[in-house]
């Protein structure tokens, strides 16, 4: 018996009987009801699993954001710079050391990296001249 949601078949319900031959009308209706019930259960489980994955992803993003904000605060205080400059310093340090922003932020926030080298990388990047692009003709 096909397990369907609208026009999409998501599986099949296999039914076995004691006797061979086609199913009777009332057995077909019962099998359809069982297949529909199983389909609803499978689709609900999928929706719950997707919601859990999304919740975990959002929680991870929130934690990353909090860590970045904490690291910005550490750098802003230590270097007497504004929050935007602190963020730029985090990014510059991560780029120069091939390290993800969230990892650099975690290390700054926990004290594994001291603010001075992170801020020094930002100052180094500020001295670098931006690339020149040809003007449009």
């Amino acid at each position: 018996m096909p397990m369907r949601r609208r026009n999409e078949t998501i599986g099949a319900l296999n039914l076995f009987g004691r006797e061979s031959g086609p199913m009777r009308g009332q057995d077909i209706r019962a099998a359809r009801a069982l297949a529909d019930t199983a389909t609803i259960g499978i689709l609900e489980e999928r929706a719950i699993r997707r919601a859990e994955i999304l919740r975990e992803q959002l929680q991870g993003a929130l934690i990353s954001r909090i860590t970045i904000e904490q690291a910005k605060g550490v750098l802003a205080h230590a270097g007497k710079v504004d929050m935007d400059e602190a963020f730029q310093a985090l990014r510059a340090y991560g780029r120069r050391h091939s390290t993800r922003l969230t990892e650099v932020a975690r290390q700054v926030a926990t004290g594994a990296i001291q603010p001075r080298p992170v801020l020094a990388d930002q100052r180094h990047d500020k001295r670098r001249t931006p690339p020149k692009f040809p003007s449009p003709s």
Side-chain angles (χ1 to χ4, degrees), residues 66-88:
I66 290 169
T67 304
I68 291 168
E69 291 300 320
Q70 288 172 338
K72 284 169 48 179
V74 168
L75 293 175
H77 177 74
K80 297 181 180 20
V81 297
D82 66 29
M83 295 297 268
D84 188 51
E85 288 177 279
F87 181 72
Q88 296 306 322

Side-chain angles (χ1 to χ4, degrees), residues 4-132:
R4 293 189 181 122
R5 176 178 180 236
R6 296 186 192 106
N7 294 330
E8 177 188 9
T9 301
I10 67 162
L13 177 67
N14 294 321
L15 302 167
F16 302 95
R18 293 183 194 162
E19 302 156 8
S20 62
M23 291 174 55
R24 295 178 307 197
Q26 119 184 16
D27 292 337
I28 291 173
R29 286 189 297 281
R32 180 78 260 146
L34 287 172
D36 290 346
T37 303
T39 301
I40 291 167
I42 289 170
L43 293 174
E44 284 295 316
E45 190 277 333
R46 285 181 184 174
I48 290 168
R49 189 172 347 126
R50 285 185 190 123
E52 287 173 353
I53 290 169
L54 179 60
R55 184 189 55 77
E56 289 171 7
Q57 290 172 341
L58 290 172
Q59 183 67 32
L62 180 60
I63 289 168
S64 294
R65 188 70 195 162
I66 290 169
T67 304
I68 291 168
E69 291 300 320
Q70 288 172 338
K72 284 169 48 179
V74 168
L75 293 175
H77 177 74
K80 297 181 180 20
V81 297
D82 66 29
M83 295 297 268
D84 188 51
E85 288 177 279
F87 181 72
Q88 296 306 322
L90 281 173
R91 277 191 11 192
Y93 186 90
R95 286 180 181 158
R96 290 178 64 81
H97 294 88
S98 299
T99 305
R100 295 182 61 179
L101 177 64
T102 54
E103 180 58 22
V104 173
R106 185 191 65 75
Q107 290 178 3
V108 169
T110 61
I113 297 176
Q114 294 301 310
R116 187 176 299 169
V118 177
L119 292 165
D121 270 7
Q122 169 64 6
R123 290 182 187 112
H124 178 271
D125 273 8
K126 279 186 178 178
R127 288 189 301 260
R128 199 174 59 188
T129 53
K132 296 195 183 222

